[in-house]
Amino acid sequence: MTGALYSFLVRDPRSFAVIAEVPMAAISRVEWGRSRFEPSRWSMVLSRSTIEAANSTLGVDLIARQNLVEIRRDGVVEFQGYILNRALDTTTTIWTVSGYDLLDWLRRRIVGRTTAVTKSGIAETVLKAFVEENLGTSAGTRAATAELNTPNVFSIETDQARGSAVAYTGQRALLDRVTAEVCRQGALVQRITLTSTGPHYSVDSPVDATVSTGGTVFSVNLDNVTGIGYTESFENLQNALTVAGSGTGNSRTTREVTDTTSIDADFRREGVLTAPTNSINAELDAIGAAEIIRQETQAISAEVIPLSTSGNAEYRADWDVGWMITVAIPAAGIVSIDRQIAAMRGVYDNTKGEFITFTLGTEAPRSQMTRLSRVLSRMQMNLSA
């Protein structure tokens, strides 16, 4: 992949004013990623002379810890993230700086610091309640806005009640792990972007770009993909879970959750999952079913290298993070499967141009979520009987 135009900005960490723009030609290498719901790492390699040329007054302070890095691709913001790590090779005067994208805000707070916090309902509502209580105005002195320069604020998108029903209990858990699990259960995509007034938290439902809706089939045989790395790993799959809820000893609430389809295909593999703050049978069943689905989906993964020049595999036009797409892998005997793009990874090299890949299979795709809903329906029928 080549031909896209990149630009690199450095912003003040609190006011977000542009400190300087650094010519991309002067940067050796940039690597970044975006995930459906997890903070993604980025790194950049640049020389001391590059830094001083960009801003002779600030010099190395241009890449001071906590400064905000922004990369744009063809004028569109590709990623933004704070500088959290710096390393200098004094022989070559080459700096390497790195950090996470803006979802890193979620890594800075703990849910249920003293007592467990349980929320249930539609996934988007639950997500935004957790974020509001730990980063929004309800967080008081812990609110993210308190760390920014006035008039900048940390804002949260208005709830639109998207996603499926979920239940989650968090206790002494990082907020990013809590929201990631709710996103996984609720089939949502979360992100934090920088607006004119400050960081903004929002969610999206997955885009259906499968062949059934007129989308592209990604395949080496169709000349829109240069390569697909396909992996199956079922050695750790557990398809019969005992979910242990609250209580102790013989009085502890336990539920058995199984997937008969998986057992028929891969034999029975038992495991134990703990949910010590939950005693509601239906919610324990849902937790177990979601874990089985997660394991089954992670057992099959693929890394795809699309060709942007093919005309039907364009990044952000034909595919993006969180989208459901169709992939064909004839060499693995897979005629057609629908999977969700879990993450993308990009590299910009000042001599080789850009290289972009995406990964499938680390979150529950549509077919698996449909199976989950059927599993839960059967459970509800059994509970009612």
Side-chain angles (χ1 to χ4, degrees):
M1 284 184 156
T2 58
L5 298 177
Y6 282 79
S7 56
F8 165 42
L9 304 176
V10 179
R11 295 180 179 272
D12 182 274
R14 289 183 170 84
S15 71
F16 308 117
V18 175
I19 298 174
E21 180 171 352
V22 180
M24 288 300 295
I27 297 173
S28 299
R29 186 179 178 87
V30 181
E31 296 186 33
W32 73 96
R34 288 191 297 119
S35 168
R36 189 167 81 99
F37 48 61
E38 295 179 332
S40 297
R41 298 190 65 90
W42 64 270
S43 66
M44 181 178 296
V45 179
L46 65 171
S47 67
R48 178 178 177 179
S49 59
T50 296
I51 300 167
E52 293 176 344
N55 193 308
S56 58
T57 302
L58 286 176
V60 74
D61 287 340
L62 181 64
I63 55 168
R65 185 166 49 86
Q66 297 301 344
N67 275 358
L68 186 71
V69 167
E70 177 178 301
I71 293 293
R72 296 184 179 185
R73 180 181 183 272
D74 288 337
V76 177
V77 174
E78 185 61 31
F79 84 88
Q80 296 164 319
Y82 289 96
I83 297 174
L84 303 178
N85 313 294
R86 302 194 307 166
L88 172 65
D89 184 328
T90 57
T91 302
T92 60
T93 66
I94 295 295
W95 280 93
T96 301
V97 295
S98 62
Y100 285 94
D101 62 19
L102 290 183
L103 282 176
D104 178 62
W105 276 101
L106 304 177
R107 298 175 66 246
R108 306 179 189 185
R109 298 293 188 272
I110 296 290
V111 174
R113 292 177 297 161
T114 55
T115 59
V117 178
T118 299
K119 297 186 185 300
S120 61
I122 298 301
E124 180 176 357
T125 305
V126 171
L127 276 172
K128 290 176 177 175
F130 274 122
V131 174
E132 168 60 29
E133 290 180 6
N134 292 277
L135 281 170
T137 55
S138 300
T141 57
R142 299 170 62 234
T145 297
E147 302 175 58
L148 304 175
N149 287 347
T150 304
N152 292 313
V153 297
F154 182 96
S155 59
I156 300 174
E157 177 189 41
T158 301
D159 185 17
Q160 299 175 50
R162 289 168 289 187
S164 56
V166 301
Y168 192 86
T169 298
Q171 184 171 21
R172 291 183 286 277
L174 284 172
L175 178 59
D176 74 305
R177 305 315 307 158
V178 173
T179 58
E181 184 57 33
V182 175
C183 278
R184 181 182 288 113
Q185 291 184 27
L188 292 176
V189 179
Q190 68 174 353
R191 60 178 181 268
I192 296 178
T193 53
L194 186 61
T195 69
S196 59
T197 58
H200 181 69
Y201 178 84
S202 61
V203 305
D204 271 327
S205 298
V207 173
D208 189 344
T210 58
V211 67
S212 62
T213 63
T216 298
V217 177
F218 291 81
S219 174
V220 174
N221 290 11
L222 297 178
D223 296 325
N224 60 9
V225 168
T226 59
I228 298 179
Y230 178 75
T231 303
E232 293 182 359
S233 180
F234 284 82
E235 62 180 19
N236 297 316
L237 172 68
Q238 297 171 335
N239 49 27
L241 289 177
T242 297
V243 185
S246 60
T248 58
N250 292 334
S251 64
R252 186 166 191 176
T253 304
T254 59
R255 300 286 291 178
E256 183 179 74
V257 182
T258 62
D259 186 333
T260 55
T261 302
S262 175
I263 292 173
D264 289 343
D266 298 294
F267 302 104
R268 183 183 180 99
R269 289 180 178 270
E270 297 180 348
V272 176
L273 183 66
T274 60
T277 60
N278 202 316
S279 62
I280 301 173
N281 288 342
E283 292 184 3
L284 293 175
D285 292 341
I287 291 170
E291 174 60 18
I292 290 176
I293 294 300
R294 184 189 70 82
Q295 292 190 25
E296 290 176 349
T297 308
Q298 286 188 334
I300 297 178
S301 62
E303 183 175 25
V304 181
I305 307 172
L307 275 173
S308 64
T309 55
S310 68
N312 64 351
E314 291 280 356
Y315 174 40
R316 292 188 183 270
D318 300 298
W319 67 270
D320 204 345
V321 173
W323 289 25
M324 290 291 300
I325 64 168
T326 301
V327 177
I329 314 175
I334 297 175
V335 177
S336 176
I337 57 172
D338 292 347
R339 284 292 188 270
Q340 188 170 38
I341 298 177
M344 62 77 63
R345 196 72 192 164
V347 176
Y348 174 88
D349 186 283
N350 68 354
T351 60
K352 300 177 181 179
E354 70 171 8
F355 180 76
I356 293 177
T357 64
F358 61 79
T359 303
L360 307 174
T362 55
E363 286 93 40
R366 180 181 55 190
S367 57
Q368 298 282 26
M369 293 308 297
T370 301
R371 187 195 301 177
L372 173 58
S373 66
R374 291 172 180 167
V375 169
L376 294 180
S377 296
R378 289 199 300 269
M379 291 175 179
Q380 292 294 343
M381 290 175 64
N382 292 336
L383 288 171
S384 302

